């Protein structure tokens, strides 16, 4: 597989959220606004790339039968380091992302990629896979957050700035259920269907 | 047998390296994190009493509070912290109470709570917090509980928790305000300006 293919694999053909359907818990829970979705996406992508990198570097030293505990230790160490460093030096960002950081440990995309890709591939391709999967995750969760925020709250905010406000401009009555958990399932169902349809058409 | 020893060694090595990395990062960042918390506490005190130039820390009956002093050296009110239980954990709320026993303002930052993103988190928004300004007593309840505070849509538990915390803080103040310890020393013996260094930086 050439590098470009590995990269685009994560974005469309094997999009972790919309095609592999893994790591849904943080996606559904935190993707309730565009801003939060994007923040969670970036934090996850960072941990995903770092853990992919480290695990592919160490893959020759890790005995097969204890690879899972080793992965978990590496991932949770990374997450905690990210948490400390962000809290100390990026207070603004931490204020909006802080609550999501501990959730990354239990995100099965990261463990999944460590097991399915980084453990078997070179450092370089693992890095590209991490970036591709991370990008796919960011796209999916940001889109989900944007749709839910737009319908459920009538606004779109990005980096704390309000891009536009539907309820103010066209007197739109927000549909509250879209911010709540059922809305997450409805929207992600449509998104998965859309991606399936796209992939089918391309064949 | 050999395999077990090998596995054990690798696992132990990974654990030791992780522990070492974590403890050193923790030590390195702890100072900065504590400093950030301190600055954020001072900022919250200034947010509830913008007129105050100095805050004097007091401890009355085991509760820490800060008396705000304005430019002329007059007391503007008392700042205290309450931590009511919200939907997902404590909501650390900083409240200011003016000399005429009304709420001056309420400060909650995103780091002070762990409410649901998109719903309960809205207790940190001004639209909600500003409702407490100038209120007292039974007004410090949600409208559906007979008070004067509008709850956040779909986040009644979080809204009610904040209102309850503010009311409890206010009641505690009303019960203890006669205490002479609230009085700050006379003007001549100026207290140590513990917050003034930061004030000049801002």
């Amino acid at each position: 597989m050439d590098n470009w293919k590995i990269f685009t694999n994560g974005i469309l053909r094997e999009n972790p959220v919309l095609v592999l359907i893994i790591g849904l818990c943080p996606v559904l829970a935190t993707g309730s606004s565009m801003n939060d979705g994007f923040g969670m996406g970036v934090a996850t992508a960072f941990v995903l790339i770092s853990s992919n990198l480290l695990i592919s570097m160490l893959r020759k030293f890790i005995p097969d039968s204890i690879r899972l505990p080793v992965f978990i230790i590496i991932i949770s160490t990374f997450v905690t380091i990210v948490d400390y460093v962000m809290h100390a030096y990026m207070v603004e960002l931490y204020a909006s992302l802080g609550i999501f950081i501990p959730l990354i440990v239990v995100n099965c995309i990261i463990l999944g990629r460590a097991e399915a890709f980084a453990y078997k591939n070179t450092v370089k391709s693992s890095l590209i896979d991490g970036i591709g999967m991370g990008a796919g995750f960011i796209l999916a969760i940001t889109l989900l957050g944007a749709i839910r925020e737009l319908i459920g709250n009538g606004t779109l905010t990005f980096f704390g700035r309000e891009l536009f406000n539907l309820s103010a401009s066209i007197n739109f009555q927000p549909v509250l259920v879209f911010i709540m958990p059922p809305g997450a399932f409805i929207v992600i169902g449509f998104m998965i269907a859309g991606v399936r349809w796209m992939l089918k058409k391309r064949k | 047998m050999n395999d077990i020893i090998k596995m054990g060694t690798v696992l132990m090595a990974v654990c030791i390296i992780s522990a070492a990395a974590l403890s050193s990062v923790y030590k390195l960042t702890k100072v900065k994190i504590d400093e950030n918390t301190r600055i954020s506490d001072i900022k919250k005190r200034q947010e509830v009493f913008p007129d105050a130039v100095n805050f004097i820390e007091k401890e009355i009956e085991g509760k820490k509070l800060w008396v705000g002093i304005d430019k002329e050296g007059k007391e503007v009110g008392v700042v205290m912290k309450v931590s009511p239980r919200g939907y997902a954990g404590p909501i650390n709320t900083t409240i200011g109470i003016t000399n005429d026993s009304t709420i001056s303002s309420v400060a909650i930052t995103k780091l002070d709570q762990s409410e649901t993103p998109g719903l309960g988190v809205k207790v940190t928004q001004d639209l909600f917090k500003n409702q407490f300004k100038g209120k007292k007593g039974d007004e410090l309840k949600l409208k559906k509980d007979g008070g004067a505070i509008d709850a956040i849509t779909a986040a009644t538990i979080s809204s009610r928790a904040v209102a309850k915390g503010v009311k409890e803080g206010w009641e505690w103040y009303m019960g203890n305000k006669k205490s002479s310890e609230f009085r700050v020393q006379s003007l001549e013996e100026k207290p140590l300006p513990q917050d003034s260094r930061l004030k000049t930086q801002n």
Side-chain angles (χ1 to χ4, degrees):
Chain A
M1 260 203 299
D2 62 306
N3 293 334
W4 178 247
K5 224 173 164 190
I6 298 174
F7 177 70
T8 53
N9 208 24
I11 295 180
L12 196 62
R13 270 187 317 278
E14 276 184 33
N15 187 301
V17 179
L18 300 174
V19 180
L20 302 182
I21 328 274
I22 54 174
L24 278 191
C25 172
V27 172
L28 297 176
T30 61
S32 59
S33 72
M34 194 168 162
N35 207 24
D36 290 350
F38 184 74
M40 181 65 183
V42 171
T44 308
F46 178 78
V47 175
L48 178 62
I49 293 167
S50 328
S51 78
N52 255 12
L53 204 61
L54 202 69
I55 284 165
S56 65
M57 273 189 239
L58 295 174
R59 71 184 192 282
K60 296 213 172 84
F61 305 101
I62 306 173
D64 212 39
S65 43
I66 54 158
R67 62 187 195 284
L68 288 180
V70 173
F71 293 167
I72 299 270
I73 294 167
I74 291 176
I75 294 167
S76 50
T77 307
F78 253 112
V79 171
T80 319
I81 288 176
V82 170
D83 189 77
Y84 287 156
V85 171
M86 262 172 89
H87 196 170
Y89 299 104
M90 291 174 262
V91 193
E92 294 292 305
L93 192 66
Y94 189 76
S96 52
L97 291 189
I99 44 168
F100 307 136
I101 308 278
L103 283 178
I104 300 173
V105 182
V106 292
N107 190 327
C108 51
I109 294 174
I110 293 162
L111 189 62
R113 289 330 281 176
E115 165 78 5
F117 200 93
Y119 191 59
K120 295 173 193 146
N121 287 284
T122 60
V123 176
K124 197 179 156 206
S125 7
S126 300
L127 177 69
I128 296 165
D129 177 71
I131 297 172
M133 284 285 162
F137 185 75
I138 294 175
L139 282 178
I141 193 172
T142 311
L143 186 64
L144 176 79
I147 297 172
R148 286 177 67 193
E149 191 186 348
L150 196 63
I151 306 177
N153 209 16
T155 56
L156 260 192
T157 44
F158 201 51
F159 284 114
R161 234 176 298 130
E162 203 168 86
L163 296 181
F164 59 91
N165 191 331
L166 271 185
S167 7
S169 49
I170 57 165
N171 199 17
F172 172 76
Q173 183 69 44
V175 189
L176 193 69
V177 73
F178 276 90
I179 297 209
M180 295 197 285
F185 283 103
I186 295 170
V187 174
I188 201 144
F190 277 103
M191 282 169 67
I192 291 169
V195 168
R196 286 276 145 120
W197 177 72
M198 248 164 70
L199 286 175
K200 218 172 168 186
K201 243 178 90 178
R202 275 164 54 130
K203 262 180 207 159
Chain B
M1 190 62 200
N2 258 343
D3 263 7
I4 294 178
I5 292 172
K6 197 190 165 206
M7 280 189 257
T9 322
V10 171
L11 203 53
M12 194 171 78
V14 171
C15 286
I16 290 174
I17 294 169
S18 294
L22 272 186
S23 62
S24 50
V25 171
Y26 177 75
K27 258 195 199 142
L28 280 174
T29 51
K30 177 109 177 29
V31 188
K32 192 83 177 96
I33 291 174
D34 288 350
E35 175 76 5
N36 287 344
T37 317
R38 207 178 61 85
I39 292 175
S40 136
D41 276 357
I42 295 171
K43 275 194 186 142
K44 274 180 271 175
R45 265 171 250 154
Q46 285 169 347
E47 192 187 323
V48 292
F49 281 121
D51 293 340
V53 291
N54 191 11
F55 291 91
I56 296 152
E57 196 173 309
K58 295 233 155 203
E59 202 173 318
I60 298 173
E61 292 184 15
K63 203 171 172 74
K64 250 193 192 167
L65 38 85
W66 293 265
V67 179
I69 310 288
D70 70 1
K71 264 188 248 136
E72 287 137 29
K74 271 193 236 139
E75 294 164 29
V76 289
V78 174
V79 181
M80 65 169 93
K81 279 173 153 185
V82 289
S83 303
R85 219 178 55 151
Y87 185 69
I91 305 174
N92 297 317
T93 314
T94 306
I95 55 179
I97 301 172
T98 58
N99 291 333
D100 56 357
S101 303
T102 59
I103 299 293
S104 76
S105 193
V106 172
I108 309 166
T109 67
K110 279 194 171 167
L111 287 182
D112 294 328
Q113 49 79 42
S114 42
E115 300 305 286
T116 321
L119 297 171
V121 159
K122 289 183 185 165
V123 296
T124 60
Q125 290 179 354
D126 287 342
L127 200 65
F128 178 74
K129 290 188 289 186
N130 287 346
Q131 295 186 87
F132 289 95
K133 279 186 183 161
K135 304 236 159 67
K136 58 178 176 181
D138 275 344
E139 289 173 335
L140 299 171
K141 276 183 182 172
L142 297 188
K143 274 188 180 156
K144 56 176 97 171
D145 298 335
I149 307 292
D150 269 320
I152 293 158
T153 317
T156 311
I157 296 175
S158 311
S159 318
R160 185 174 282 145
V162 175
K164 190 170 160 249
V166 174
K167 188 161 184 285
E168 275 171 11
W170 181 83
E171 277 165 356
W172 184 90
Y173 170 79
M174 293 309 281
N176 289 278
K177 74 169 179 180
K178 295 272 150 47
S179 162
S180 58
E181 292 188 56
F182 273 107
R183 298 270 81 86
V184 176
Q185 300 94 314
S186 64
L187 280 179
E188 283 78 37
E189 44 171 315
K190 267 223 163 103
L192 260 176
Q194 37 184 181
D195 289 353
S196 54
R197 189 172 64 91
L198 197 98
K199 185 77 187 175
T200 48
Q201 276 174 0
N202 290 342

